[in-house]
């Protein structure tokens, strides 16, 4: 009986320690649309992999997505749809490329919200993003 109890405890301990090794640091990110237009897609690129947030209405936020890490400034691509009553809807797209990450700290854990503000200037889309820890 003691041998069976000891073996059970040993197996439980080994199983729990194995689970600790598999835990990978990551952060949860969601997008808040603080602009005037409907965001069709907002794509964040990390390590060459795209993380896409879709269909975000004005003053609404997306669902959380798990991302391995973020920099305070990341490569992102934003596509908005400007709804018009009589004419065709206008689709505008902007890509933001950070120059470098000198002086920035990589964010590897926690929950973050990216506030996206969009403005139409002529035929171009201006996008400002702000990263906020929740």
């Amino acid at each position: 009986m003691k041998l069976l109890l000891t073996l059970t405890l040993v197996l439980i301990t080994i199983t729990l320690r194995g689970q600790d090794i598999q835990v990978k640091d990551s952060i949860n990110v969601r997008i808040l649309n603080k602009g005037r237009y409907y965001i069709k897609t907002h794509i964040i690129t990390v390590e060459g992999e795209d993380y896409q947030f879709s269909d975000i209405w004005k003053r609404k936020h997306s669902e959380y997505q798990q991302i391995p890490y973020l920099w305070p400034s990341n490569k992102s691509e934003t596509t908005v749809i400007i709804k018009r009553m009589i004419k065709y809807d206008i689709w505008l797209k902007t890509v933001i490329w950070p120059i470098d990450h000198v002086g920035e700290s990589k964010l590897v854990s926690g929950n973050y919200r990216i506030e996206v503000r969009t403005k139409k200037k002529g035929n171009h889309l201006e996008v400002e993003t702000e990263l906020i820890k929740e």
Side-chain angles (χ1 to χ4, degrees), residues 19-128:
Q19 289 177 354
D20 288 344
I21 294 169
Q22 296 171 357
V23 173
K24 184 178 177 183
D25 286 339
S26 63
I27 63 172
N28 293 314
V29 178
R30 68 179 176 171
I31 306 298
L32 175 64
N33 183 355
K34 292 194 91 173
R36 297 182 57 197
Y37 308 112
Y38 169 75
I39 296 177
K40 181 62 181 164
T41 59
H42 184 82
I43 301 170
I44 300 171
T45 304
V46 176
E47 292 182 347
E49 189 171 339
D50 292 339
Y51 297 90
Q52 180 171 327
F53 301 86
S54 300
D55 303 320
I56 309 167
W57 292 97
K58 296 184 276 185
R59 295 178 293 283
K60 300 291 182 187
H61 58 78
S62 68
E63 297 295 323
Y64 280 104
Q65 282 194 40
Q66 207 169 40
I67 296 177
Y69 66 85
L70 272 181
W71 294 98
S73 59
N74 299 280
K75 178 185 180 265
S76 64
E77 178 181 309
T78 307
T79 304
V80 300
I81 300 175
I82 300 172
K83 300 285 186 183
R84 299 171 76 184
M85 294 297 280
I86 298 173
K87 298 180 182 180
Y88 292 108
D89 294 342
I90 299 172
W91 288 57
L92 296 173
K93 178 180 182 178
T94 296
V95 178
I96 298 172
W97 287 86
I99 296 171
D100 58 28
H101 301 292
V102 174
E104 294 181 344
S105 298
K106 187 188 293 187
L107 307 169
V108 294
S109 64
N111 293 334
Y112 289 88
R113 175 180 72 237
I114 299 175
E115 293 183 354
V116 179
R117 290 176 189 79
T118 55
K119 285 191 266 186
K120 182 179 178 260
K121 290 266 182 143
N123 291 331
H124 302 287
L125 178 68
E126 288 187 2
V127 177
E128 296 175 5

Side-chain angles (χ1 to χ4, degrees), residues 6-23:
T6 305
L7 286 174
T8 305
L9 289 174
V10 168
L11 285 174
I12 290 172
T13 304
I14 291 172
T15 304
L16 292 177
R17 285 188 181 208
Q19 289 177 354
D20 288 344
I21 294 169
Q22 296 171 357
V23 173

